[in-house]
Amino acid sequence: MDIEFVAAASPLPAKSALARIVFEGSSLDGDLAQAAAASRFTGAKGQTLDILSPRGVEAARLVLVGAGKADAYDAMGAETAAANAYHAVKTSGLTTLRLELPNGGGKNAARAALGVRLASYRFDKYRTKEPAEKKPSIVRTQVVTTGVDGALADFAPLAALADAVSFTRDLVSEPPNVLYPAEFARRVKALQSLGLEVEILGEPEMMALGMGSLLGVGQGSIRESQLAVIRWNGAADKSAQPIAFVGKGVCFDTGGISIKPADGMEDMKWDMGGAGAVAGLMHVLAGRKAKVNAVGILGLVENMPDGNAYRPGDVLTSMSGQTIEVINTDAEGRLVLADAVWYCQDRFKPKFIVDLATLTGAIIVALGNDLAGCYSNNEELAGNLIAASNTEGEPLWRMPLPAQYDKNIDSMIADMKNTGGRPGGSITAALFIQRFTNGVPWAHLDIAGTAWKKPSAVPTSPDGATGYGVRLLNRMVAEKYEG
Ligand code: BES
Ligand code: MN
Ligand code: ZN
């Protein structure tokens, strides 16, 4: 999608659709008011009204897009309305979308452009037979603004964000026969072109570090487990203490010997959504040259049943030295995070660690598919995450880490076991990870419900991979940890 910012007087290109964003209750001129009245269009959020060959308008197609009440309209409103405008005309056959915003200053114009970039994301590389008329035809968006230069400047970091979210969505959407750990690692390695430093550790290196927990999960797969270490040193002092992010990257989760039911198992290609989000975050930090030192660590494995697979009953020794009795091989994400989180704090001594993981079905039972769970041992970090999540439209809900449940993961024969039973399943998973943080300020985001949407009701997030986490983390870094 090409994005342009133009003045109202600039000539309308051929094959343009015009979208006018209107507030609820605002007055429309003659013909338009009549059309609105004839279709119950009031300008409420999410409404659109398509008008063909409108009198007195140069474009062959005009779409009125409701933006809700004027006094509640903000940058997010501009973003959502722009995304709705795009969906209204995307397969019209027209090639340019021209957007007219009510407050067309630079900031809103830039956010509208972001809305169209995110809404127009598609993962279509494996379709070979899609009829042309089903494909989106809009290839260019012109946002009308009173401040072209300001909009361009405001859009630069948002374009980097859109690139990063697309990168994450691509990773999450790729089928598991294509995106196995080494391929994921290769795609992350390619981010060196953005100025990131990327190291890939293979099984021999992880063996030498004593990562028996992560390696245990991957040992039933013919694909080699990988640990990706991504660094961005954008702070003035390149040796200043970094902030750190760790992602669960289970490229496919069959459940292992504790195998999952067949129904819906294909969704488990998405079990690397946490690692995908961390990779996307590092992408945007580099893309917009963020003034921060940050580390991203991805634990990349495939959880398969096999003659060499780990078993329920096995005892694994983690890099921390703590031993883990495996009760269920399907509770593998926490085993991957145990070593990745320990390694992170041990090597980088970060200010804090945020881990992201599609960790438990239980968080979906608790919070549904719109909210991710946020667990933290640190009030400031949790507050910063939740504030950022609200402004970016990636909602988080704080969950408890009750000390009295910690004993639920004590084992009869080892230091702990990898499941705490069904009650509070997302909580005991978080308590498990907490045992590998070594007291560092830490937050765990359980994104099992939010990493994909099928179907999606969010106009900036097409059905499938959402890229959840990239926006909220990028916002938190920008507002609290830069400079
Ligand atoms: N990857 C799953 C969690 C998951 C479930 C993500 C549904 C997205 C949608 C995770 O590895 C898992 O299997 N968790 C088990 C843990 C249980 C065995 C203690 C679960 O949630 O059932
Ligand atoms: Mn599992
Ligand atoms: Zn999993």
Side-chain angles (χ1 to χ4, degrees):
M1 176 69 62
D2 287 333
I3 301 286
E4 294 170 5
F5 298 97
V6 301
S10 82
L12 191 71
K15 301 195 79 185
S16 286
L18 187 63
R20 193 168 291 162
I21 290 170
V22 297
F23 293 132
E24 195 164 357
S26 64
S27 63
L28 298 164
D29 333 316
D31 285 0
L32 297 184
Q34 241 182 336
S39 61
R40 290 187 168 158
F41 178 87
T42 60
K45 248 187 201 161
Q47 283 187 337
T48 55
L49 176 61
D50 227 337
I51 303 169
L52 301 177
S53 304
R55 214 180 328 177
V57 175
E58 201 187 334
R61 186 166 192 148
L62 170 68
V63 189
L64 301 183
V65 182
K69 294 262 191 301
D71 52 8
Y73 180 75
D74 55 7
M76 186 56 85
E79 184 185 313
T80 306
N84 285 329
Y86 170 77
H87 291 303
V89 300
K90 64 187 172 190
T91 55
S92 60
L94 300 170
T95 52
T96 299
L97 166 62
R98 169 109 141 200
L99 273 174
E100 293 178 357
L101 308 171
N103 304 323
K107 282 222 157 48
N108 280 350
R111 280 291 285 271
L114 174 68
V116 175
R117 280 287 315 269
L118 294 175
S120 61
Y121 173 82
R122 257 168 76 91
F123 187 77
D124 54 8
K125 65 193 278 197
Y126 297 108
R127 291 179 187 276
T128 67
K129 297 185 166 177
E130 193 176 33
E133 66 273 15
K134 294 234 160 116
K135 289 201 171 107
S137 56
I138 300 287
V139 293
R140 169 168 64 175
T141 296
Q142 293 190 331
V143 186
V144 176
T145 176
T146 50
V148 170
D149 293 343
L152 275 172
D154 285 332
F155 185 58
L158 299 182
L161 176 60
D163 290 343
V165 171
S166 297
F167 178 71
T168 299
R169 288 176 179 174
D170 281 347
L171 289 170
V172 175
S173 303
E174 281 287 6
N177 60 324
V178 172
L179 196 89
Y180 47 91
E183 173 60 17
F184 195 142
R186 273 193 286 279
R187 293 191 188 191
V188 168
K189 190 87 184 165
L191 298 183
Q192 288 184 147
S193 64
L194 296 174
L196 291 163
E197 288 168 43
V198 182
E199 274 168 73
I200 307 296
L201 280 63
E203 289 182 357
E205 290 86 1
M206 288 191 272
M207 202 93 77
L209 287 162
M211 293 191 174
S213 183
L214 184 153
L215 290 168
V217 176
Q219 81 188 28
S221 170
I222 58 164
R223 304 298 194 181
E224 189 187 358
S225 299
Q226 311 269 283
L227 191 84
V229 180
I230 315 169
R231 278 190 284 175
W232 172 251
N233 288 318
D237 175 3
K238 307 280 174 234
S239 64
Q241 191 183 25
I243 57 177
F245 303 88
V246 176
K248 168 181 172 181
V250 177
C251 294
F252 195 72
D253 180 13
T254 63
I257 296 300
S258 315
I259 198 162
K260 288 180 180 295
D263 238 20
M265 202 201 276
E266 69 281 5
D267 286 354
M268 286 300 123
K269 73 171 184 182
W270 283 323
D271 210 18
M272 33 56 70
V278 171
L281 172 70
M282 300 308 289
H283 192 304
V284 61
L285 294 182
R288 63 176 185 77
K289 305 218 177 314
K291 292 183 175 47
V292 67
N293 293 343
V295 180
I297 294 180
L298 320 179
L300 304 172
V301 303
E302 184 180 49
N303 187 20
M304 297 290 275
D306 171 79
N308 192 45
Y310 77 137
R311 292 155 288 253
D314 283 2
V315 173
L316 307 175
T317 301
S318 67
M319 182 183 173
S320 71
Q322 301 177 97
T323 55
I324 305 159
E325 182 188 9
V326 178
I327 302 299
N328 189 318
T329 63
D330 198 11
E332 84 297 338
R334 66 199 74 183
L335 297 172
V336 172
L337 290 173
D339 279 337
V341 166
W342 184 267
Y343 174 80
C344 179
Q345 60 79 30
D346 182 60
R347 175 167 171 195
F348 295 105
K349 314 278 184 257
K351 279 195 198 115
F352 65 75
I353 298 175
V354 177
D355 81 72
L356 286 89
T358 50
L359 204 64
T360 66
I363 198 68
I364 308 177
V365 176
L367 298 179
N369 287 98
D370 287 345
L371 302 165
C374 173
Y375 295 87
S376 183
N377 62 5
N378 185 280
E379 296 309 305
E380 186 186 336
L381 179 58
N384 289 345
L385 283 164
I386 286 168
S389 84
N390 290 333
T391 22
E392 287 294 307
E394 292 186 332
L396 271 178
W397 199 265
R398 183 85 183 264
M399 297 287 286
L401 284 166
Q404 70 267 37
Y405 290 176
D406 196 63
K407 62 178 180 319
N408 296 8
I409 51 170
D410 287 341
S411 157
M412 272 168 59
I413 65 156
D415 296 331
M416 67 196 88
K417 56 185 181 181
N418 78 331
T419 64
R422 280 176 64 82
S426 172
I427 298 173
T428 49
L431 288 165
F432 182 95
I433 302 167
Q434 187 175 35
R435 292 190 183 199
F436 296 87
T437 56
N438 208 11
V440 170
W442 154 81
H444 157 61
L445 309 186
D446 193 336
I447 61 169
T450 56
W452 59 87
K453 287 233 192 303
K454 199 175 86 162
S456 169
V458 180
T460 47
S461 189
D463 294 353
T466 59
Y468 183 98
V470 177
R471 293 189 66 170
L472 87 86
L473 295 176
N474 178 54
R475 162 79 63 166
M476 180 183 79
V477 172
E479 288 195 350
K480 302 290 178 182
Y481 298 101
E482 281 188 56

